[in-house]
Amino acid sequence: MHTTDAVHQTQFVLLNESTTPVLSRLSFHVAEPYAVTVAFRTERGRWIEWTFARDLLVTGLDEPTGIGDVRIRPDLSEDEALLTLEIESPDGYASFELERADLQAFLESSYELVPLGAESEHFDIDGLIEEISNV
């Protein structure tokens, strides 16, 4: 029997209204049940990663959400099939358009591994405490 503990989805997205697509990757791991990671491939082949709450994606499908470095804005895209993901840091600002259907499929795959509301059953608090105390 084959089991998996992660979901990955790769797609091309448009950065800051550019016409050249950027390769992106969404990831969800059972070991981090509250979080998702979005990564973008740079021109030099490096991956820039951002990790944030899975709930942000869930809420962002239907309404603007996020007050920090990562925000999801379905209201900024003229096309209802797209969502805008905004990322801000001291180094700058970027916005990406994501396909709503792709995001929904990614989330549904993550729910198969860890259903919404069951995150605490998969979260290893002892492992986190050990990791933090060994710094």
Side-chain angles (χ1 to χ4, degrees), residues 6-118:
V7 174
H8 302 284
Q9 180 188 81
T10 304
Q11 63 181 298
F12 284 98
V13 296
L14 293 179
L15 166 64
N16 295 339
E17 301 176 2
S18 167
T19 55
T20 305
V22 174
L23 186 61
S24 74
R25 179 182 63 221
L26 277 168
S27 301
F28 172 82
H29 298 273
V30 171
E32 296 181 15
Y34 292 101
V36 294
T37 299
V38 63
F40 303 98
R41 185 139 186 193
T42 67
E43 291 175 0
R44 295 184 207 107
R46 289 186 22 234
W47 288 91
I48 307 292
E49 292 186 343
W50 291 80
T51 301
F52 53 93
R54 177 171 71 164
D55 285 349
L56 200 65
L57 289 182
V58 174
T59 303
L61 286 172
D62 300 313
E63 62 188 66
T65 188
I67 56 171
D69 295 343
V70 179
R71 297 176 299 277
I72 301 185
R73 302 289 306 270
D75 58 324
L76 291 183
S77 298
E78 292 178 16
D79 185 342
E80 285 189 17
L82 300 174
L83 301 172
T84 298
L85 172 65
E86 297 180 304
I87 296 177
E88 196 165 356
S89 78
D91 296 328
Y93 167 87
S95 68
F96 301 87
E97 286 192 327
L98 304 171
E99 293 278 344
R100 181 187 301 266
D102 290 344
L103 192 54
Q104 285 175 312
F106 170 78
L107 285 170
E108 287 169 13
S109 295
S110 79
Y111 303 157
E112 291 176 15
L113 296 178
V114 178
L116 279 180

